[in-house]
Amino acid sequence: MSTGSTPSSAMIRSMLAAGALLICVVSSLFIGVIDMRPAELLSDPEAMWLLSSSRLPRTLAVLLTGVSLAIAGQVMQVLVQNRFVEPATAGSGQSAILGIVLMTLFFPGSSIAATMATASVTALLGTLLFLLMIRRLPPQETYLVPLVGIVYGGVVGSIAIWLAWQADLLQLLDVWMTGEFSGIMRGRYGLLWIAGVLAVFTWFVADQFTIASLGRDHARNLGLDYRTIMALGLLVISVVTAVTIVTVGIIPFIGLVVPNIVSRLHGDNLRYSLPLVAWLGALLTLLSDMVGRLIIAPYEIPVGTVFGVVGAAITLWLLYSKPAMRQA
């Protein structure tokens, strides 16, 4: 293939990717318990109200969640230098839930912003503890790191469940443990824009994260302030995790499978792979939400359940398949 055709091919792929996401977005707007057709938006005020107050906010919330969780998973994999970790399986999500439970117990009248801030702090502390735990693990044992993360997250989650059980908050805890978008309305997803802003910020410092993925010594030799980049990465992970859990709950596997798929197809340079990670995270999350709304309509299956099944299957494929050879 000649070099002159490469830009046009990349443009065609980008247009196809954008078109696929746009089709899913438009389809999502017209899927729900109440039947609504595009023509009704021009003649029926109730249809326009339904679109603006429920369908559009829900779709935007799904897109923001998919983008931010996928990018947060990419950042965590860079920091840990392991492809099989993500916030939901490394204790970050469980630590955020523990912070929410503590705020509910001791400050039941606190605002959503205060709850999110507390969840961010506990997620940050939980992620720091996880990083300290895996420092002593042998680097050649790739699968030992996620196993430790799963066990660690299980312990933290058990503490949160025990506290919720003591205070009769298990039903409330179940909302945070199962990610779903049925309760998203206009004005109830604003915190997710914080996660979206952090996702954009990650792209601006993508080169620094790429250098950090080489390891502490190599990064310092290249003049990178390794501690600052680690702190920025932990901040992105903790805030994104807290915001999404406070708003919609835990959605597993997004931060695990999306970066791995993109890495196999596009390499490890974050400057070029992050847009693909964001696109695929948004697309898969939106598709899972649409399937959850359609499979047993008019009832819903939480998107966390749907993506859990899909993500588990993709994870098994990632474990047992060989990466395709990429051109230099």
Side-chain angles (χ1 to χ4, degrees):
M1 181 182 295
S2 63
T3 57
S5 63
T6 301
S8 60
S9 300
M11 184 176 297
I12 292 174
R13 289 196 296 267
S14 299
M15 292 177 63
L16 290 175
L21 183 59
L22 180 61
I23 292 173
C24 291
V25 168
V26 175
S27 300
S28 175
L29 296 177
F30 297 96
I31 294 176
V33 177
I34 301 176
D35 291 331
M36 184 177 67
R37 298 178 181 179
E40 296 177 358
L41 297 176
L42 301 176
S43 58
D44 189 354
E46 292 186 0
M48 182 60 71
W49 176 86
L50 178 63
L51 178 69
S52 61
S53 63
S54 177
R55 300 288 176 82
L56 183 58
R58 176 174 183 150
T59 302
L60 290 175
V62 172
L63 295 176
L64 289 170
T65 300
V67 168
S68 58
L69 285 180
I71 289 180
Q74 177 82 82
V75 172
M76 171 162 273
Q77 291 174 13
V78 167
L79 296 183
V80 180
Q81 299 179 40
N82 190 290
R83 284 292 180 188
F84 297 99
V85 295
E86 65 151 344
T89 58
S92 302
Q94 292 80 2
S95 299
I97 290 179
L98 179 59
I100 298 173
V101 171
L102 291 175
M103 283 295 290
T104 306
L105 287 175
F106 296 106
F107 304 98
S110 58
S111 64
I112 294 295
T115 302
M116 185 210 73
T118 304
S120 299
V121 172
T122 54
L124 177 61
L125 295 176
T127 307
L128 278 173
L129 182 57
F130 171 70
L131 292 177
L132 291 175
M133 291 172 59
I134 65 174
R135 287 179 63 182
R136 296 183 177 274
L137 298 178
Q140 67 272 16
E141 297 292 340
T142 305
Y143 301 117
L144 193 57
V145 174
L147 287 176
V148 171
I150 292 172
V151 173
Y152 169 64
V155 172
V156 176
S158 298
I159 295 174
I161 292 174
W162 182 81
L163 291 174
W165 173 69
Q166 291 290 326
D168 196 19
L169 294 174
L170 286 179
Q171 289 185 340
L172 189 60
L173 184 67
D174 186 62
V175 174
W176 300 319
M177 297 292 290
T178 305
E180 54 94 21
F181 295 91
S182 61
I184 295 296
M185 299 286 289
R186 182 172 55 193
R188 295 184 181 178
Y189 73 104
L191 289 176
L192 289 175
W193 290 106
I194 299 175
V197 170
L198 288 176
V200 175
F201 167 77
T202 302
W203 185 82
F204 283 103
V205 296
D207 293 335
Q208 286 82 352
F209 282 127
T210 300
I211 296 174
S213 67
L214 301 175
R216 178 182 302 178
D217 294 335
H218 287 85
R220 288 179 174 175
N221 290 336
L222 293 173
L224 182 71
D225 190 342
Y226 186 78
R227 288 188 176 182
T228 300
I229 294 301
M230 287 288 291
L232 288 175
L234 291 175
L235 180 64
V236 169
I237 294 169
S238 58
V239 175
V240 167
T241 302
V243 165
T244 53
I245 290 177
V246 168
T247 308
V248 299
I250 286 184
I251 303 178
F253 290 111
I254 296 178
L256 175 63
V257 301
V258 172
N260 274 282
I261 293 173
V262 173
S263 175
R264 293 195 174 204
L265 298 176
H266 204 66
D268 297 325
N269 190 320
L270 295 189
R271 174 67 64 184
Y272 302 104
S273 64
L274 277 180
L276 271 178
V277 169
W279 170 79
L280 188 57
L283 182 66
L284 291 180
T285 308
L286 188 58
L287 286 173
S288 298
D289 182 58
M290 293 166 61
V291 169
R293 280 183 274 174
L294 290 172
I295 194 169
I296 57 170
Y299 305 102
E300 287 191 25
I301 298 177
V303 65
T305 303
V306 176
F307 207 102
V309 175
V310 175
I314 296 177
T315 301
L316 291 176
W317 170 73
L318 291 171
L319 289 173
Y320 288 102
S321 65
K322 293 182 180 180
M325 296 297 293
R326 294 191 298 267
Q327 294 181 352

